[in-house]
Amino acid sequence: MGYMFPWRTDPAAPGSGKTGSRLMPAALIGLFLLGSCAIADLRPIGVRTIPGEPYGVLEDYYTPVGLIFDTEMIETDTQQVVSVSFSGGSVEGDLQWEGNTLFFTPVAGWTAGRRYTLSLLGQVYAADGRELRLTEYLPFFAVSPPEFPGVVSFTPADGASVGVTAETGGILRLTFSVPMDRRSTEEGFTLEGVGDKKFEWDGEDRILKISPGKSLSPWTTYPWSLDHALSREGSPLVKPVSAQFTTDLDQTLPLVLEVFPLVRSDPPGTTSPDAALFLPWVRTGADIRDGLGSGQGIGIRFNKSMDEESMRKAVRLEPSLSGRIEVLSAASLVYIPDKDPECETPYTLIVSGDTKDKSGLPMGEDFIGYFTPDIPFLRIPSFSVNEEPPIEMTDGGASGYYPFPLADSTAPAGITLRFSLPFSPEAMVAAALGISLDPWFPASLGPVVLTAVTCSEDTLLLKWEGLEPGKPGESHFYRLTIPGGKNGIANGRGSYIKNSCHIYMEVLGL
């Protein structure tokens, strides 16, 4: 039996059994047609195929496929609508008529088990003028039944828990029973929630690995399915396959284990400031709560390997203190402030809860820590003039009034300032140039001149000439100004005098 296409028939065909008055109009119409023109043949063209059913199997390597018509056809037009193809292209063959049957015989013979498709596309005409539009596809095989492909196994298993990367299980591996057609298999595969996918074939196209273009999202279920895939020979998949997996293998949330001060190591022979930027960071051993010093970094260690990009955005300080982050290892970083923290100022360290580990798991909650840097304000415990005993400044350098004797205006006045912290050499020079001594009262006093400077790490001796001792009934006052604030006297190691200090000195005659 051939494959008969379901053509429509005339609902008013003869033999319908309709009688009575309803026959009269039909008879009149028939008489009218006989009297005016030829009778139109409305019968459909009958056609069957060889083989008669989809996925039929031809007996031999040269068994033809064909079309069987129930009427004589215009052969040339009919031959043009027939073609045979397979997954590798079209099949070359010979067309031959035997009566009303059109046969297609392959020139090189069929390949056993391969899927072919007989395509019938176009308009055909019967010799009596009737016409038929064909739009049909008939799949078939030759010689032996096909081996329909199937998925032998796949990983991860249905419902499995995996990680978010290929290394932790976030990659699919399908094993097929036969070599597959790559294009149809890749097009028939879907993985919900994933955009870009990478396909990798192995095992003579029996093994397919699918990996996402980027890491999967943690704690997410990913359904996948495969349908409409063909074997290399064109056979369809036995049945669709679907499963799902969940990226919940990692149940440990990232968290901050510790925060600590760090300083760059200083091996012998390292003198270049630029070279210091590449020195390794080492722990100071101090407690971050009160031990962060000038020029130091804030080390942060996590409980697991972290996402590097996420670590680089993890830290902020309040009050705001800008800085940069260096990643020290997979689980640690150092925050390097652009400048020293403010003296004796409490800070809040915040590590964002959005900071993620390697698998994409976020911390969830902000880590918050508190510290006050070990950078005290700079103070002046005492000062002295010439050979006079040191004067203790109990409040660390507030303004005050201090008398001292001087022989005459030619005698130098040596003012010695002792600071609470050591200075860098450069900072001590800047301090000497920043301190001033000016006439205060009366206005007629002449200017004074700085003639010599002597310093150590924490002591500064300034020698001035031109001071005029007072006379009976006429007091002479001079003002020593030590600038404070962020732009004032600083030791070059993060500390500075909090407020400007003014010392009013009365120069007494001997």
Side-chain angles (χ1 to χ4, degrees), residues 238-444:
V238 173
K239 63 178 180 179
V241 182
S242 62
Q244 65 181 26
F245 58 86
T246 304
T247 54
D248 60 354
L249 181 65
D250 189 352
Q251 298 283 336
T252 303
L253 291 175
L255 55 86
V256 175
L257 289 182
E258 57 178 335
V259 181
F260 43 87
L262 289 172
V263 64
R264 288 196 184 274
S265 62
D266 188 16
T270 302
T271 58
S272 168
D274 292 334
L277 297 176
F278 302 98
L279 295 176
W281 291 91
V282 295
R283 292 177 181 245
T284 65
D287 191 319
I288 188 64
R289 289 174 293 183
D290 57 8
L292 181 68
S294 172
Q296 295 181 1
I298 302 172
I300 299 175
R301 186 168 69 89
F302 298 89
N303 65 326
K304 60 193 305 190
S305 295
M306 305 295 290
D307 175 70
E308 183 170 329
E309 181 180 353
S310 183
M311 278 201 288
R312 293 189 182 279
K313 301 181 292 185
V315 182
R316 73 179 190 273
L317 295 178
E318 295 178 357
S320 178
L321 183 61
S322 62
R324 71 182 193 280
I325 288 176
E326 286 185 13
V327 176
L328 300 179
S329 70
S332 64
L333 61 85
V334 56
Y335 184 82
I336 308 165
D338 292 334
K339 61 180 181 178
D340 284 328
E342 293 295 327
C343 301
E344 302 178 16
T345 300
Y347 282 86
T348 301
L349 170 72
I350 302 169
V351 181
S352 172
D354 294 330
T355 308
K356 300 177 181 179
D357 64 12
K358 276 285 190 182
S359 66
L361 284 177
M363 289 173 48
E365 296 181 354
D366 289 348
F367 169 86
I368 299 177
Y370 305 94
F371 70 92
T372 299
D374 184 19
I375 306 176
F377 283 109
L378 186 63
R379 292 173 171 80
I380 305 174
S382 67
F383 84 99
S384 62
V385 181
N386 292 339
E387 301 301 326
E388 297 294 320
I391 299 172
E392 300 295 330
M393 301 180 70
T394 56
D395 55 0
S399 302
Y401 162 74
Y402 303 94
F404 70 92
L406 192 66
D408 55 51
S409 60
T410 61
I415 301 175
T416 302
L417 300 172
R418 184 169 63 86
F419 296 96
S420 59
L421 297 168
F423 279 61
S424 68
E426 297 81 7
M428 188 60 84
V429 172
L433 297 176
I435 297 172
S436 62
L437 181 64
D438 303 297
W440 180 251
F441 182 85
S444 59

Side-chain angles (χ1 to χ4, degrees), residues 140-176:
F140 65 93
F141 301 90
V143 182
S144 61
E147 183 178 0
F148 290 100
V151 177
V152 177
S153 63
F154 59 84
T155 57
D158 191 15
S161 294
V162 301
V164 299
T165 63
E167 294 78 10
T168 56
I171 184 172
L172 273 166
R173 177 188 172 102
L174 307 180
T175 302
F176 297 92

